[in-house]
Amino acid sequence: MSKSPAQLFHPNPPDDEGDLRRLFYNREIELENGLEILLSDAIPTLPLAVHGPTRSGKSHFARFLVVEAIAQGAKFEALVVQASDKSTARRVLAKMYTGLLKMLPSFPEGFKTRDSQDSWDRELKEYHDFLPLIEDPERRIEVEYTESEARQRSVKFGFSLAPSVTLKAPASTAGLTAEPRVEGKLEASRSSDHSQGQSQKLKWTVALPTDDHVVTLILQLLEFRRRVEDVRRVLFLVDDLDLLDPRLENGGECSVLLDRLGALAASKRCTVVVTVRTQSYNGREKELQPLAEIGTWESAAALLEVYQRRIDCFNDGEVVYDAEALKWLANRVEGRVGMFLQHCQEIRAKVARAELPVTLARVRARLNEQLLEWRRQAELVFIIERVDTEVRAGRQQVAFEEELPPNPLLLRLLAPIVGKKATYSIEPLYVDAIRSQQAS
């Protein structure tokens, strides 16, 4: 055992496989069913979805499921990409390409010849050269190809190719091909010999203006990888798919990315797993194949077990909350383990070490302090006033005219309600605090 305060209550899953295993708890049925799919010989050619409510533990489950599938013999190499806050589908695809390039195996020693190694190195360099184009659709680079090489690469990689310079031809070259089958116009001087013109190296401008270009390049890179690793396929785990752009949850960019992930999965060159909230999964049954549904926990005892595992793993077994405070917290997060850990982390961060273990009185005081801090922020006043009105009327939901933009209250004071537009549940933890403030 050891102490790791940064990891103690962090709601995101740990990166270390050992910690991932030690902290996994109480999803045995979902795990068994998910493993059956990933270990089968007929994995669906759609993105596989781990879905469930907000902060229910989807990410931890999905990562553990993949790790366990590989441990049990699934022929995968996993690449995890976080979609939330990447803003555009292009940026997520860029992360996938970059990660794939970094995890390419080395060329096997037993198959090396001078020619095979040179061929591998040349093509690998090309994939690295394309990196500046991957994230930025407006970016251009210059490369040197013969006309024949340019055509071949245009077909293979899905490039937009155009000559970066135009050389004016003398009259004697009138018989040369003036417009090769790529973008732009090419005129070659220096020789009236057509075959020599075809072998002449020229500078070309390369661009990847669309997301489909990037998908094509990822597929080519997967095919390139198969030369040295034809047993294990890549499994892309795209976490928080529907939080790609927090300003427009489940909006246009999410659909764009899902279309591209569908194209990758359909190719059979890789497997794609995504995590997504239930409200975003519903209605996408033709685009996503269910892998696991992660529900909230009915019993607070499961959350207390999660707490104890984290205390043992990251705090040398030393308690942080007393039993009364811990039980009170566990009974007011509606079975959502991520929300439970987030509150444990935020309250602990405001308590001096000398005050440990944290008491229920200190928890209540901290929640009141948080409400007062929010009330002082001008952009949150309108929301808080509406929440106050509903709590005063004995309700724990609040509806607005339109969806709220990203703000500090979401997933802390307010949680979106599935199936109700612009309607949010008020977190029970704060309902008590609001009522106590109103009473005083």
Side-chain angles (χ1 to χ4, degrees):
M1 295 190 295
S2 62
K3 289 194 175 184
S4 179
Q7 292 180 277
L8 179 55
F9 297 125
H10 199 289
N12 293 338
D15 295 322
D16 181 76
E17 182 178 332
D19 291 339
L20 199 65
R21 290 185 174 279
R22 282 187 285 272
L23 298 176
F24 182 79
Y25 178 69
N26 200 23
R27 303 287 191 191
E28 286 80 7
I29 295 175
E30 296 92 336
L31 179 65
E32 181 182 343
N33 292 334
L35 286 172
E36 188 176 4
I37 294 173
L38 292 183
L39 291 170
S40 72
D41 295 327
I43 296 177
T45 53
L46 286 172
L48 306 174
V50 174
H51 64 98
T54 300
R55 300 297 173 89
S56 57
K58 299 182 294 296
S59 297
H60 191 135
F61 173 85
R63 296 187 192 206
F64 180 74
L65 171 62
V66 170
V67 164
E68 184 61 19
I70 293 171
Q72 292 192 24
K75 303 300 183 182
F76 294 128
E77 186 169 6
L79 175 56
V80 179
V81 179
Q82 189 68 38
S84 59
D85 296 319
K86 296 295 181 291
S87 301
T88 67
R90 181 67 171 244
R91 290 182 179 177
V92 177
L93 293 170
K95 289 287 184 183
M96 294 170 69
Y97 179 88
T98 303
L100 185 58
L101 193 56
K102 288 179 179 178
M103 63 190 274
L104 277 177
S106 300
F107 194 81
E109 290 291 336
F111 292 90
K112 278 187 180 180
T113 65
R114 181 170 182 175
D115 288 344
S116 64
Q117 182 70 62
D118 288 347
S119 175
W120 172 268
D121 290 343
R122 281 196 305 272
E123 194 161 347
L124 181 60
K125 181 181 182 303
E126 280 190 309
Y127 285 111
H128 280 280
D129 288 344
F130 302 149
L131 276 171
L133 308 175
I134 296 295
E135 186 167 312
D136 185 0
E138 303 299 323
R139 188 74 180 268
R140 305 286 186 270
I141 62 171
E142 282 192 343
V143 293
E144 286 194 353
Y145 296 136
T146 65
E147 183 183 329
S148 176
E149 289 171 337
R151 288 194 181 110
Q152 290 172 357
R153 281 158 177 78
S154 181
V155 171
K156 178 178 179 179
F157 297 119
F159 289 161
S160 174
L161 275 169
S164 57
V165 295
T166 299
L167 305 175
K168 193 169 184 179
S172 61
T173 62
L176 292 181
T177 301
E179 293 186 4
R181 296 175 187 174
V182 292
E183 283 188 8
K185 184 176 181 181
L186 172 65
E187 295 177 282
S189 58
R190 309 184 93 182
S191 173
S192 59
D193 185 336
H194 181 66
S195 62
Q196 184 174 336
Q198 287 288 310
S199 63
Q200 180 186 346
K201 290 280 188 179
L202 299 169
K203 287 187 177 180
W204 299 80
T205 300
V206 181
L208 299 173
T210 72
D211 294 344
D212 288 331
H213 284 110
V214 182
V215 170
T216 299
L217 203 55
I218 290 173
L219 291 173
Q220 290 296 333
L221 189 50
L222 287 167
E223 196 63 32
F224 179 68
R225 177 182 177 276
R226 287 178 61 184
R227 297 186 196 174
V228 294
E229 175 57 277
D230 62 353
V231 176
R232 294 187 302 165
R233 285 197 297 173
V234 172
L235 184 150
F236 292 108
L237 172 53
V238 181
D239 202 9
D240 290 330
L241 170 71
D242 54 326
L243 295 180
L244 173 61
D245 185 353
R247 297 167 300 174
L248 187 63
E249 293 184 5
N250 200 30
E253 283 299 317
C254 177
S255 297
V256 169
L257 178 57
L258 187 53
D259 285 345
R260 301 318 185 265
L261 295 178
L264 289 171
S267 74
K268 300 184 180 180
R269 297 182 193 173
C270 62
T271 295
V272 178
V273 174
V274 303
T275 67
V276 62
R277 294 171 304 163
T278 298
Q279 61 262 42
S280 299
Y281 171 80
N282 292 338
R284 296 187 184 274
E285 289 82 358
K286 293 183 178 180
E287 302 169 275
L288 292 168
Q289 182 85 15
L291 180 59
E293 181 177 359
I294 303 302
T296 56
W297 284 327
E298 294 182 6
S299 170
L303 298 175
L304 299 181
E305 177 61 28
V306 168
Y307 165 86
Q308 189 58 52
R309 290 185 180 214
R310 286 183 167 265
I311 289 296
D312 292 341
C313 192
F314 298 131
N315 206 48
D316 265 348
E318 294 181 16
V319 300
V320 176
Y321 289 83
D322 71 19
E324 183 185 25
L326 199 59
K327 186 176 180 180
W328 190 86
L329 282 169
N331 279 308
R332 285 166 174 77
V333 293
E334 300 173 317
R336 288 176 291 164
V337 62
M339 187 64 70
F340 174 70
L341 292 173
Q342 180 177 332
H343 284 302
C344 286
Q345 178 176 261
E346 291 179 352
I347 294 169
R348 168 63 187 92
K350 297 293 183 177
V351 176
R353 183 164 182 78
E355 295 182 79
L356 299 181
V358 181
T359 64
L360 178 55
R362 188 67 186 92
V363 169
R364 289 179 180 273
R366 177 55 204 153
L367 294 174
N368 279 315
E369 291 166 7
Q370 180 64 81
L371 283 170
L372 291 173
E373 290 170 14
W374 286 334
R375 293 181 196 281
R376 295 190 188 106
Q377 299 180 44
E379 69 274 16
L380 302 180
V381 169
F382 168 72
I383 302 174
I384 291 286
E385 287 178 349
R386 291 286 297 274
V387 170
D388 284 343
T389 299
E390 297 304 313
V391 172
R392 190 178 295 112
R395 293 184 286 268
Q396 288 189 216
Q397 294 184 10
V398 57
F400 296 90
E401 288 69 31
E402 57 186 25
E403 302 287 344
L404 295 176
N407 66 76
L409 305 181
L410 293 177
L411 303 182
R412 296 176 70 188
L413 174 63
L414 301 174
I417 297 177
V418 177
K420 291 189 176 182
K421 185 178 180 181
T423 304
Y424 303 81
S425 63
I426 305 168
E427 292 296 324
L429 283 172
Y430 288 103
V431 170
D432 285 354
I434 292 170
R435 286 173 178 164
S436 69
Q437 289 183 353
Q438 290 175 345
S440 61

